[in-house]
Amino acid sequence: MSNDYEETNVSSGVSPSPKVAESKPQENKSQKRMMVYTVVVNLQSKEIEPKVTEIIKLAESFGGYALQYSSQGTIQLKIPQENLKTFLLTLKKGSHNYSEDVSAKDVTEDYLDTEIRLENAQKMRTRLLEILKSAKTLEETLKVEAELSKVSESIERWEGKLKYLSSSIQLSSVTVHVRQKWEPVVQKEYQPGPIGYPFYWLYLGLGKVKDGFIWLFIQEVPKEK
């Protein structure tokens, strides 16, 4: 059976099933486009693992979930398409050096074409079942059953594709890369404790004495006339 929908060739008194004409999707300007969104986000955080946990909880609060994540900072998420924009805005507000790359794929024609192919395959199966009931010989029965098997495989394939497309449309894929945010180290002025204060003042006093000896030495050096 070519193209999944060829007419069934059954001999000896069993009428071949008519070829089911494939319908073509009619153009409808009001048809809502079916889009599949994929997003890649890069951001920075002082600590990676706490940020990863925070992002997963944020995704769950928007009805999404994590497919995969690592302590190195890569998270793969699924977010309901209707919540995608709000999720990204919320994530951006709580992140440093945030950037995102959004891509969209229009699968409207593919989805409608798959629906039509599935409908045609189901009609073909119904017709073959009718032919099977009128089969008079074992040879006729085997031929019809062989065609039924092929059509059933086609139905399973189209149903699987529709399920995959529906899931991809409803749940957008978001990959987040969290990188370490480096900050300059600020040197704090030394503050001695109660016991350290005498030694601290002694250290400062010795420094002053040293500076005084150096000044006297310079003053005593004979100047050339």
Short mmCIF file of all heavy atoms in Angstrom, two decimals, residues 26-81:
data_model
loop_
_atom_site.label_atom_id
_atom_site.label_comp_id
_atom_site.label_asym_id
_atom_site.label_seq_id
_atom_site.Cartn_x
_atom_site.Cartn_y
_atom_site.Cartn_z
N GLN A 26 -8.34 23.93 3.96
CA GLN A 26 -8.81 25.16 3.35
C GLN A 26 -8.21 26.35 4.09
O GLN A 26 -8.07 26.34 5.29
CB GLN A 26 -10.34 25.22 3.42
CG GLN A 26 -11.01 24.10 2.63
CD GLN A 26 -12.53 24.20 2.73
OE1 GLN A 26 -13.05 24.97 3.51
NE2 GLN A 26 -13.21 23.41 1.93
N GLU A 27 -7.89 27.35 3.33
CA GLU A 27 -7.30 28.54 3.92
C GLU A 27 -8.35 29.26 4.76
O GLU A 27 -9.46 29.51 4.32
CB GLU A 27 -6.76 29.47 2.82
CG GLU A 27 -5.57 28.88 2.10
CD GLU A 27 -5.01 29.89 1.11
OE1 GLU A 27 -5.55 31.01 1.06
OE2 GLU A 27 -4.07 29.55 0.39
N ASN A 28 -7.98 29.56 5.94
CA ASN A 28 -8.88 30.26 6.84
C ASN A 28 -8.08 31.34 7.54
O ASN A 28 -7.25 31.06 8.38
CB ASN A 28 -9.48 29.28 7.85
CG ASN A 28 -10.53 29.95 8.73
OD1 ASN A 28 -10.77 31.15 8.62
ND2 ASN A 28 -11.15 29.17 9.60
N LYS A 29 -8.37 32.58 7.16
CA LYS A 29 -7.59 33.68 7.69
C LYS A 29 -7.77 33.83 9.20
O LYS A 29 -6.92 34.39 9.87
CB LYS A 29 -7.98 34.98 6.98
CG LYS A 29 -7.61 34.98 5.50
CD LYS A 29 -7.97 36.30 4.86
CE LYS A 29 -7.58 36.31 3.37
NZ LYS A 29 -7.93 37.58 2.71
N SER A 30 -8.91 33.33 9.72
CA SER A 30 -9.17 33.45 11.14
C SER A 30 -8.54 32.30 11.94
O SER A 30 -8.65 32.26 13.16
CB SER A 30 -10.68 33.50 11.40
OG SER A 30 -11.29 32.29 10.99
N GLN A 31 -7.92 31.35 11.23
CA GLN A 31 -7.31 30.21 11.89
C GLN A 31 -6.17 30.66 12.81
O GLN A 31 -5.26 31.35 12.38
CB GLN A 31 -6.75 29.22 10.85
CG GLN A 31 -5.93 28.08 11.43
CD GLN A 31 -6.78 27.12 12.23
OE1 GLN A 31 -7.84 26.71 11.78
NE2 GLN A 31 -6.31 26.75 13.41
N LYS A 32 -6.26 30.28 14.06
CA LYS A 32 -5.21 30.65 15.00
C LYS A 32 -3.95 29.86 14.69
O LYS A 32 -3.98 28.64 14.52
CB LYS A 32 -5.67 30.35 16.44
CG LYS A 32 -4.66 30.77 17.49
CD LYS A 32 -5.19 30.47 18.89
CE LYS A 32 -4.16 30.88 19.94
NZ LYS A 32 -4.67 30.59 21.32
N ARG A 33 -2.83 30.55 14.60
CA ARG A 33 -1.57 29.90 14.26
C ARG A 33 -1.09 29.06 15.43
O ARG A 33 -1.21 29.45 16.60
CB ARG A 33 -0.51 30.94 13.91
CG ARG A 33 -0.90 31.95 12.87
CD ARG A 33 -1.47 31.32 11.63
NE ARG A 33 -0.50 30.50 10.91
CZ ARG A 33 -0.79 29.78 9.83
NH1 ARG A 33 -2.02 29.76 9.35
NH2 ARG A 33 0.15 29.08 9.24
N MET A 34 -0.56 27.91 15.13
CA MET A 34 -0.03 27.00 16.15
C MET A 34 1.48 27.14 16.17
O MET A 34 2.17 26.76 15.21
CB MET A 34 -0.44 25.56 15.84
CG MET A 34 -1.94 25.35 15.79
SD MET A 34 -2.40 23.66 15.39
CE MET A 34 -4.19 23.81 15.27
N MET A 35 2.00 27.68 17.26
CA MET A 35 3.42 28.00 17.36
C MET A 35 4.10 27.15 18.41
O MET A 35 3.55 26.88 19.48
CB MET A 35 3.61 29.48 17.70
CG MET A 35 2.84 30.45 16.80
SD MET A 35 3.34 30.36 15.08
CE MET A 35 5.01 31.04 15.20
N VAL A 36 5.34 26.76 18.11
CA VAL A 36 6.19 26.04 19.07
C VAL A 36 7.34 26.97 19.44
O VAL A 36 8.12 27.38 18.57
CB VAL A 36 6.74 24.74 18.47
CG1 VAL A 36 7.69 24.06 19.44
CG2 VAL A 36 5.59 23.79 18.12
N TYR A 37 7.44 27.32 20.72
CA TYR A 37 8.45 28.27 21.18
C TYR A 37 9.61 27.55 21.88
O TYR A 37 9.40 26.63 22.68
CB TYR A 37 7.83 29.28 22.15
CG TYR A 37 6.89 30.24 21.48
CD1 TYR A 37 5.52 30.01 21.49
CD2 TYR A 37 7.37 31.38 20.84
CE1 TYR A 37 4.64 30.90 20.87
CE2 TYR A 37 6.49 32.26 20.21
CZ TYR A 37 5.13 32.01 20.23
OH TYR A 37 4.28 32.88 19.61
N THR A 38 10.82 28.02 21.57
CA THR A 38 12.03 27.53 22.22
C THR A 38 12.82 28.73 22.72
O THR A 38 13.08 29.67 21.96
CB THR A 38 12.90 26.71 21.24
OG1 THR A 38 12.12 25.63 20.72
CG2 THR A 38 14.12 26.15 21.95
N VAL A 39 13.22 28.70 24.00
CA VAL A 39 13.89 29.84 24.62
C VAL A 39 15.19 29.39 25.27
O VAL A 39 15.23 28.34 25.93
CB VAL A 39 12.99 30.51 25.68
CG1 VAL A 39 13.66 31.77 26.23
CG2 VAL A 39 11.62 30.84 25.11
N VAL A 40 16.25 30.18 25.07
CA VAL A 40 17.54 29.95 25.76
C VAL A 40 17.84 31.19 26.58
O VAL A 40 17.89 32.30 26.04
CB VAL A 40 18.68 29.67 24.76
CG1 VAL A 40 20.00 29.49 25.52
CG2 VAL A 40 18.37 28.43 23.93
N VAL A 41 18.04 31.00 27.88
CA VAL A 41 18.29 32.12 28.81
C VAL A 41 19.68 31.98 29.41
O VAL A 41 20.10 30.88 29.79
CB VAL A 41 17.24 32.14 29.94
CG1 VAL A 41 17.60 33.19 30.98
CG2 VAL A 41 15.86 32.41 29.36
N ASN A 42 20.40 33.10 29.49
CA ASN A 42 21.69 33.16 30.18
C ASN A 42 21.59 34.22 31.28
O ASN A 42 21.09 35.32 31.04
CB ASN A 42 22.82 33.52 29.22
CG ASN A 42 23.14 32.40 28.26
OD1 ASN A 42 23.83 31.45 28.60
ND2 ASN A 42 22.62 32.50 27.04
N LEU A 43 22.07 33.87 32.47
CA LEU A 43 22.04 34.82 33.57
C LEU A 43 23.18 34.51 34.54
O LEU A 43 23.83 33.46 34.43
CB LEU A 43 20.68 34.80 34.28
CG LEU A 43 20.20 33.46 34.84
CD1 LEU A 43 20.70 33.21 36.24
CD2 LEU A 43 18.68 33.41 34.83
N GLN A 44 23.40 35.42 35.48
CA GLN A 44 24.46 35.24 36.47
C GLN A 44 23.89 35.31 37.88
O GLN A 44 22.87 35.97 38.13
CB GLN A 44 25.55 36.30 36.31
CG GLN A 44 26.39 36.12 35.06
CD GLN A 44 27.54 37.11 34.99
OE1 GLN A 44 27.43 38.23 35.45
NE2 GLN A 44 28.65 36.68 34.43
N SER A 45 24.57 34.61 38.80
CA SER A 45 24.15 34.60 40.20
C SER A 45 25.38 34.43 41.08
O SER A 45 26.38 33.81 40.66
CB SER A 45 23.15 33.47 40.44
OG SER A 45 22.80 33.39 41.80
N LYS A 46 25.32 34.97 42.30
CA LYS A 46 26.45 34.82 43.22
C LYS A 46 26.70 33.35 43.54
O LYS A 46 27.83 32.90 43.65
CB LYS A 46 26.17 35.60 44.51
CG LYS A 46 26.13 37.11 44.34
CD LYS A 46 25.84 37.80 45.66
CE LYS A 46 25.75 39.31 45.49
NZ LYS A 46 25.45 39.99 46.78
N GLU A 47 25.61 32.59 43.71
CA GLU A 47 25.70 31.16 43.99
C GLU A 47 24.85 30.40 42.98
O GLU A 47 23.69 30.76 42.73
CB GLU A 47 25.24 30.86 45.41
CG GLU A 47 26.09 31.50 46.50
CD GLU A 47 25.60 31.15 47.88
OE1 GLU A 47 24.73 31.87 48.39
OE2 GLU A 47 26.08 30.15 48.44
N ILE A 48 25.40 29.33 42.42
CA ILE A 48 24.72 28.63 41.34
C ILE A 48 23.61 27.71 41.84
O ILE A 48 22.47 27.79 41.40
CB ILE A 48 25.75 27.83 40.50
CG1 ILE A 48 26.67 28.80 39.76
CG2 ILE A 48 25.02 26.93 39.49
CD1 ILE A 48 27.72 28.11 38.91
N GLU A 49 23.93 26.80 42.76
CA GLU A 49 22.95 25.79 43.18
C GLU A 49 21.69 26.38 43.78
O GLU A 49 20.58 25.97 43.43
CB GLU A 49 23.60 24.79 44.14
CG GLU A 49 24.63 23.90 43.46
CD GLU A 49 25.09 22.76 44.36
OE1 GLU A 49 24.25 22.23 45.10
OE2 GLU A 49 26.28 22.40 44.31
N PRO A 50 21.79 27.38 44.70
CA PRO A 50 20.55 27.99 45.21
C PRO A 50 19.72 28.64 44.10
O PRO A 50 18.49 28.61 44.14
CB PRO A 50 21.07 29.04 46.20
CG PRO A 50 22.40 28.53 46.63
CD PRO A 50 22.98 27.89 45.41
N LYS A 51 20.40 29.22 43.10
CA LYS A 51 19.68 29.85 41.99
C LYS A 51 18.96 28.80 41.15
O LYS A 51 17.83 29.04 40.68
CB LYS A 51 20.66 30.64 41.12
CG LYS A 51 19.97 31.50 40.06
CD LYS A 51 19.11 32.58 40.68
CE LYS A 51 18.52 33.51 39.63
NZ LYS A 51 17.67 34.55 40.22
N VAL A 52 19.59 27.65 40.94
CA VAL A 52 18.96 26.57 40.18
C VAL A 52 17.67 26.13 40.89
O VAL A 52 16.61 25.98 40.25
CB VAL A 52 19.92 25.37 40.04
CG1 VAL A 52 19.17 24.14 39.51
CG2 VAL A 52 21.06 25.73 39.09
N THR A 53 17.74 25.94 42.20
CA THR A 53 16.56 25.56 42.98
C THR A 53 15.47 26.62 42.89
O THR A 53 14.29 26.31 42.74
CB THR A 53 16.94 25.33 44.45
OG1 THR A 53 17.96 24.33 44.53
CG2 THR A 53 15.74 24.88 45.27
N GLU A 54 15.88 27.87 42.95
CA GLU A 54 14.94 28.99 42.87
C GLU A 54 14.21 29.00 41.53
O GLU A 54 12.99 29.22 41.46
CB GLU A 54 15.69 30.31 43.07
CG GLU A 54 14.82 31.54 42.92
CD GLU A 54 15.64 32.83 42.94
OE1 GLU A 54 16.70 32.87 43.63
OE2 GLU A 54 15.26 33.79 42.25
N ILE A 55 14.94 28.77 40.44
CA ILE A 55 14.35 28.79 39.10
C ILE A 55 13.37 27.63 38.92
O ILE A 55 12.29 27.80 38.32
CB ILE A 55 15.46 28.74 38.03
CG1 ILE A 55 16.28 30.03 38.06
CG2 ILE A 55 14.86 28.53 36.64
CD1 ILE A 55 17.50 30.01 37.17
N ILE A 56 13.71 26.47 39.44
CA ILE A 56 12.80 25.31 39.32
C ILE A 56 11.49 25.58 40.06
O ILE A 56 10.40 25.30 39.56
CB ILE A 56 13.48 24.04 39.86
CG1 ILE A 56 14.65 23.65 38.95
CG2 ILE A 56 12.48 22.89 39.95
CD1 ILE A 56 15.47 22.49 39.46
N LYS A 57 11.59 26.16 41.27
CA LYS A 57 10.38 26.49 42.04
C LYS A 57 9.56 27.55 41.31
O LYS A 57 8.31 27.50 41.32
CB LYS A 57 10.77 26.98 43.43
CG LYS A 57 11.32 25.89 44.33
CD LYS A 57 11.64 26.42 45.72
CE LYS A 57 12.15 25.32 46.63
NZ LYS A 57 12.50 25.83 47.99
N LEU A 58 10.23 28.51 40.67
CA LEU A 58 9.53 29.53 39.91
C LEU A 58 8.76 28.91 38.74
O LEU A 58 7.61 29.27 38.48
CB LEU A 58 10.52 30.57 39.39
CG LEU A 58 9.93 31.71 38.56
CD1 LEU A 58 8.98 32.55 39.40
CD2 LEU A 58 11.05 32.59 37.98
N ALA A 59 9.42 27.97 38.04
CA ALA A 59 8.76 27.28 36.91
C ALA A 59 7.52 26.53 37.39
O ALA A 59 6.47 26.56 36.74
CB ALA A 59 9.75 26.33 36.24
N GLU A 60 7.63 25.86 38.52
CA GLU A 60 6.50 25.10 39.06
C GLU A 60 5.35 26.03 39.44
O GLU A 60 4.18 25.66 39.30
CB GLU A 60 6.96 24.29 40.27
CG GLU A 60 7.90 23.15 39.90
CD GLU A 60 8.49 22.44 41.11
OE1 GLU A 60 8.33 22.98 42.24
OE2 GLU A 60 9.10 21.37 40.95
N SER A 61 5.67 27.24 39.92
CA SER A 61 4.62 28.19 40.29
C SER A 61 3.84 28.67 39.07
O SER A 61 2.71 29.16 39.20
CB SER A 61 5.22 29.38 41.03
OG SER A 61 5.98 30.21 40.15
N PHE A 62 4.42 28.53 37.87
CA PHE A 62 3.75 28.92 36.63
C PHE A 62 3.18 27.70 35.90
O PHE A 62 2.83 27.80 34.72
CB PHE A 62 4.70 29.68 35.72
CG PHE A 62 4.90 31.12 36.11
CD1 PHE A 62 5.93 31.50 36.95
CD2 PHE A 62 4.02 32.09 35.66
CE1 PHE A 62 6.10 32.82 37.33
CE2 PHE A 62 4.18 33.43 36.02
CZ PHE A 62 5.22 33.79 36.87
N GLY A 63 3.11 26.57 36.59
CA GLY A 63 2.54 25.37 35.98
C GLY A 63 3.52 24.56 35.17
O GLY A 63 3.12 23.62 34.47
N GLY A 64 4.80 24.90 35.24
CA GLY A 64 5.82 24.16 34.48
C GLY A 64 6.55 23.14 35.33
O GLY A 64 6.18 22.90 36.48
N TYR A 65 7.60 22.58 34.78
CA TYR A 65 8.40 21.59 35.50
C TYR A 65 9.78 21.48 34.87
O TYR A 65 10.00 21.93 33.74
CB TYR A 65 7.70 20.23 35.51
CG TYR A 65 7.40 19.67 34.14
CD1 TYR A 65 8.30 18.86 33.46
CD2 TYR A 65 6.18 19.95 33.51
CE1 TYR A 65 8.03 18.34 32.22
CE2 TYR A 65 5.89 19.44 32.26
CZ TYR A 65 6.81 18.64 31.62
OH TYR A 65 6.52 18.13 30.37
N ALA A 66 10.69 20.87 35.61
CA ALA A 66 12.07 20.70 35.13
C ALA A 66 12.22 19.32 34.50
O ALA A 66 11.85 18.31 35.10
CB ALA A 66 13.06 20.86 36.27
N LEU A 67 12.74 19.29 33.28
CA LEU A 67 13.06 18.01 32.63
C LEU A 67 14.41 17.49 33.10
O LEU A 67 14.60 16.30 33.31
CB LEU A 67 13.08 18.19 31.11
CG LEU A 67 11.76 18.34 30.39
CD1 LEU A 67 12.01 18.61 28.91
CD2 LEU A 67 10.92 17.08 30.54
N GLN A 68 15.36 18.43 33.26
CA GLN A 68 16.72 18.06 33.63
C GLN A 68 17.43 19.28 34.20
O GLN A 68 17.17 20.40 33.78
CB GLN A 68 17.48 17.53 32.41
CG GLN A 68 18.88 17.01 32.70
CD GLN A 68 19.56 16.47 31.44
OE1 GLN A 68 18.97 16.46 30.36
NE2 GLN A 68 20.77 16.03 31.58
N TYR A 69 18.31 19.05 35.17
CA TYR A 69 19.11 20.16 35.71
C TYR A 69 20.39 19.60 36.31
O TYR A 69 20.50 18.41 36.60
CB TYR A 69 18.33 20.95 36.77
CG TYR A 69 17.94 20.16 38.00
CD1 TYR A 69 18.76 20.13 39.12
CD2 TYR A 69 16.74 19.45 38.03
CE1 TYR A 69 18.40 19.40 40.24
CE2 TYR A 69 16.38 18.72 39.14
CZ TYR A 69 17.20 18.71 40.25
OH TYR A 69 16.85 17.98 41.36
N SER A 70 21.39 20.48 36.46
CA SER A 70 22.67 20.06 37.01
C SER A 70 23.20 21.12 37.96
O SER A 70 22.80 22.28 37.89
CB SER A 70 23.69 19.83 35.88
OG SER A 70 24.04 21.05 35.27
N SER A 71 24.11 20.70 38.85
CA SER A 71 24.69 21.64 39.80
C SER A 71 25.61 22.64 39.11
O SER A 71 26.00 23.64 39.70
CB SER A 71 25.48 20.87 40.88
OG SER A 71 26.49 20.07 40.28
N GLN A 72 25.97 22.37 37.83
CA GLN A 72 26.80 23.31 37.08
C GLN A 72 25.99 24.49 36.56
O GLN A 72 26.54 25.45 36.05
CB GLN A 72 27.48 22.60 35.89
CG GLN A 72 28.68 21.75 36.27
CD GLN A 72 28.28 20.49 37.00
OE1 GLN A 72 27.26 19.88 36.69
NE2 GLN A 72 29.08 20.06 37.96
N GLY A 73 24.65 24.41 36.68
CA GLY A 73 23.85 25.57 36.36
C GLY A 73 23.02 25.50 35.10
O GLY A 73 22.47 26.51 34.67
N THR A 74 22.85 24.33 34.48
CA THR A 74 22.02 24.19 33.29
C THR A 74 20.70 23.53 33.66
O THR A 74 20.68 22.48 34.29
CB THR A 74 22.73 23.34 32.22
OG1 THR A 74 23.95 24.00 31.82
CG2 THR A 74 21.85 23.18 30.99
N ILE A 75 19.59 24.18 33.26
CA ILE A 75 18.26 23.68 33.59
C ILE A 75 17.43 23.62 32.32
O ILE A 75 17.39 24.58 31.54
CB ILE A 75 17.55 24.61 34.59
CG1 ILE A 75 18.51 25.10 35.68
CG2 ILE A 75 16.34 23.92 35.21
CD1 ILE A 75 18.03 26.30 36.43
N GLN A 76 16.75 22.50 32.10
CA GLN A 76 15.83 22.35 30.97
C GLN A 76 14.41 22.31 31.52
O GLN A 76 14.07 21.44 32.32
CB GLN A 76 16.14 21.08 30.17
CG GLN A 76 17.49 21.14 29.46
CD GLN A 76 17.77 19.90 28.64
OE1 GLN A 76 16.98 18.96 28.63
NE2 GLN A 76 18.89 19.89 27.95
N LEU A 77 13.59 23.27 31.08
CA LEU A 77 12.25 23.43 31.63
C LEU A 77 11.18 23.30 30.56
O LEU A 77 11.44 23.52 29.37
CB LEU A 77 12.11 24.81 32.29
CG LEU A 77 13.10 25.16 33.40
CD1 LEU A 77 13.01 26.66 33.71
CD2 LEU A 77 12.82 24.35 34.65
N LYS A 78 9.98 22.96 31.00
CA LYS A 78 8.78 23.02 30.17
C LYS A 78 7.82 23.99 30.85
O LYS A 78 7.46 23.81 32.02
CB LYS A 78 8.13 21.64 30.04
CG LYS A 78 8.87 20.69 29.11
CD LYS A 78 8.76 21.12 27.66
CE LYS A 78 9.36 20.11 26.71
NZ LYS A 78 9.26 20.52 25.30
N ILE A 79 7.40 25.03 30.10
CA ILE A 79 6.53 26.06 30.64
C ILE A 79 5.29 26.16 29.76
O ILE A 79 5.42 26.23 28.53
CB ILE A 79 7.24 27.43 30.68
CG1 ILE A 79 8.56 27.34 31.45
CG2 ILE A 79 6.32 28.48 31.30
CD1 ILE A 79 8.42 27.02 32.92
N PRO A 80 4.08 26.16 30.35
CA PRO A 80 2.87 26.34 29.54
C PRO A 80 2.98 27.61 28.69
O PRO A 80 3.39 28.65 29.19
CB PRO A 80 1.76 26.47 30.59
CG PRO A 80 2.27 25.70 31.77
CD PRO A 80 3.75 25.94 31.78
N GLN A 81 2.62 27.49 27.42
CA GLN A 81 2.80 28.61 26.50
C GLN A 81 2.09 29.88 26.97
O GLN A 81 2.63 30.98 26.83
CB GLN A 81 2.30 28.24 25.10
CG GLN A 81 2.64 29.27 24.04
CD GLN A 81 2.08 28.91 22.68
OE1 GLN A 81 1.21 29.62 22.18
NE2 GLN A 81 2.54 27.84 22.09
#
